[in-house]
Amino acid sequence: MKRKVLSLLLAATMVLSLAACGGGDEKKETEAPKATEAKKDTEAPKETEAPKETDAAKETQPAASGETKKITIGYAPATLNNAFWLAVKDGVQKAIEERTGYEVTLVDIDAGGDQAKMNDGISNLLGAGCDAMLVAPADSTAAMSALEECKNAGVPVINFDTPVDNSTGIVETIIASDNYNAGYVVGKDAASKMPEDAKILILNSDRASACVQRKQGFKDALDESGKKYTIINDLDGQGDMEVSLGVVSNAIVADPDLDVIFAVNDPSAMGSVNAIQQATVELEKDIMVYGVDGNPDAKLMIKNGDMEGTGSQSPETLGYDSMMAAFDVLEGKSIEPEIVVDTFLITAENVDEFGTDGWQ
């Protein structure tokens, strides 16, 4: 009888002991399974330990139970007063819809082309709380102070469309269209169609490195063609249709015999077309106008014969890839330091393949 009572007491003691090992605070999903914790004073072999995660990854990874994680993402394009950047945002939204496990608050920072304003917006969002930034600077150099602030705050930055100097690893990755090629394919087409000793006007936006690359590609293609040409003027259209309309209106009064206008983006090219159509002087010849982007309205101008061509890209792809990269970084995954999106030429010969009712 005594032995039976003793056995029951021992069994009860073991149950209480096991319950104590699993008690206390609820275990995090990244901790080793309870079965390996039966002996707290016995250290598990190193090769069986779960890999350590960064704090950022722990905070943002979706819970294994299917719960969603709430995160805030800053979207800072050069401006929102441009259909291109709105199309990029469409790609961002598509990625958010596809990636499960997150409840995302997307906060726009509309700089209106003013880098100082963008820097202030980024700083304010960091103060309010932000998990990652998608940034396309209006000025690649002036943006560096804001990017440094993000890095110091531990907030990862995905730099898209307009590359910055990443020699110090200030951003997680650069996702951009092949801007040099976008200008190059335009220059190659222009060279094949323009006469010898052609007079060319360039509308730049040199604060943005992407636009500098486009201009360089355009000029290199002209040089490779062997044709003689003169760049009559290289003016700042600010990437804006209304600004470019005014700039070109004045330019064609001074030089009514232009052969080619190359604009570093489609809004500037469309402003150029409007200036030509509203010209107060008689133009000596038809002026071939080129842009870069593949804007639906620009493609319609190409179809109607008012614009010669555009070095095209896919803004939705830029936005989609950028947001997916942000998700990967927040989950602690490694990503490529540079991701290049293809560019190509659209002219009257192939515009119908891409349509005029949306981006390609």
Side-chain angles (χ1 to χ4, degrees):
M1 181 67 179
K2 288 182 179 179
R3 288 183 179 178
K4 187 173 182 180
V5 172
L6 181 60
S7 297
L8 290 170
L9 287 171
L10 287 171
T13 301
M14 291 176 65
V15 170
L16 288 171
S17 176
L18 289 172
C21 289
D25 295 337
E26 185 179 353
K27 300 298 178 184
K28 295 180 181 178
E29 59 178 343
T30 56
E31 291 179 352
K34 292 178 182 178
T36 64
E37 297 179 353
K39 296 183 180 179
K40 288 187 175 180
D41 57 346
T42 302
E43 186 176 353
K46 290 184 178 179
E47 59 269 21
T48 62
E49 289 181 348
K52 293 182 179 179
E53 296 177 290
T54 63
D55 290 340
K58 286 182 181 179
E59 291 173 0
T60 56
Q61 280 193 338
S65 62
E67 295 179 359
T68 58
K69 289 287 184 179
K70 294 182 179 181
I71 61 173
T72 299
I73 304 295
Y75 176 63
T79 179
L80 285 172
N81 186 28
N82 185 322
F84 176 83
W85 301 113
L86 296 176
V88 174
K89 187 178 178 181
D90 288 341
V92 172
Q93 294 284 11
K94 182 179 179 182
I96 290 172
E97 291 168 6
E98 288 187 12
R99 194 74 163 234
T100 59
Y102 292 95
E103 181 181 328
V104 180
T105 299
L106 188 66
V107 180
D108 291 338
I109 299 173
D110 188 2
D114 184 339
Q115 188 58 50
K117 187 176 179 180
M118 181 187 291
N119 290 353
D120 288 343
I122 289 173
S123 183
N124 291 338
L125 186 53
L126 288 175
C130 183
D131 295 285
M133 292 275 188
L134 310 180
V135 180
D139 186 318
S140 304
T141 302
M144 297 303 283
S145 61
L147 300 181
E148 188 68 39
E149 187 177 358
C150 290
K151 190 172 183 65
N152 292 339
V155 174
V157 174
I158 307 301
N159 173 211
F160 68 96
D161 185 72
T162 308
V164 300
D165 179 3
N166 198 31
S167 57
T168 60
I170 199 167
V171 299
E172 300 295 327
T173 186
I174 297 174
I175 301 177
S177 297
D178 189 341
N179 287 294
Y180 177 87
N181 185 65
Y184 183 88
V185 294
V186 166
K188 188 173 181 179
D189 191 71
S192 70
K193 297 173 180 177
M194 69 188 192
E196 286 283 354
D197 297 315
K199 293 184 176 181
I200 300 173
L201 169 66
I202 292 178
L203 290 180
N204 68 57
S205 184
D206 285 348
R207 295 176 302 162
S209 59
C211 295
V212 173
Q213 293 168 10
R214 294 169 186 178
K215 184 169 74 173
Q216 189 60 53
F218 174 75
K219 293 168 69 175
D220 285 353
L222 293 181
D223 291 340
E224 288 179 14
S225 74
K227 277 190 175 178
K228 295 180 180 179
Y229 67 92
T230 302
I231 295 177
I232 298 298
N233 227 325
D234 189 338
L235 305 173
D236 187 2
Q238 299 180 26
D240 182 85
M241 185 162 63
E242 291 301 319
V243 172
S244 297
L245 188 156
V247 168
V248 174
S249 294
N250 293 331
I252 58 181
V253 170
D255 294 289
D257 57 345
L258 287 174
D259 294 287
V260 178
I261 296 176
F262 170 63
V264 293
N265 71 354
D266 280 344
S268 285
M270 292 186 289
S272 300
V273 170
N274 291 338
I276 291 169
Q277 293 173 341
Q278 299 170 22
T280 58
V281 295
E282 184 176 351
L283 302 178
E284 296 184 14
K285 61 190 80 171
D286 291 336
I287 302 173
M288 294 189 295
V289 178
Y290 289 91
V292 173
D293 279 341
N295 183 299
D297 291 335
K299 289 188 290 185
L300 184 59
M301 284 186 171
I302 292 170
K303 185 176 177 66
N304 292 338
D306 298 319
M307 190 169 148
E308 194 66 27
T310 179
S312 302
Q313 55 184 328
S314 175
E316 290 187 9
T317 299
L318 276 175
Y320 181 88
D321 288 353
S322 297
M323 189 64 232
M324 284 300 188
F327 282 130
D328 286 345
V329 169
L330 291 174
E331 292 176 11
K333 297 177 182 177
S334 61
I335 60 175
E336 293 295 324
E338 186 175 348
I339 299 171
V340 179
V341 178
D342 288 339
T343 52
F344 48 91
L345 182 70
I346 294 180
T347 64
E349 295 178 358
N350 64 354
V351 67
D352 287 336
E353 296 177 25
F354 300 98
T356 59
D357 57 350
W359 293 84
Q360 50 288 332

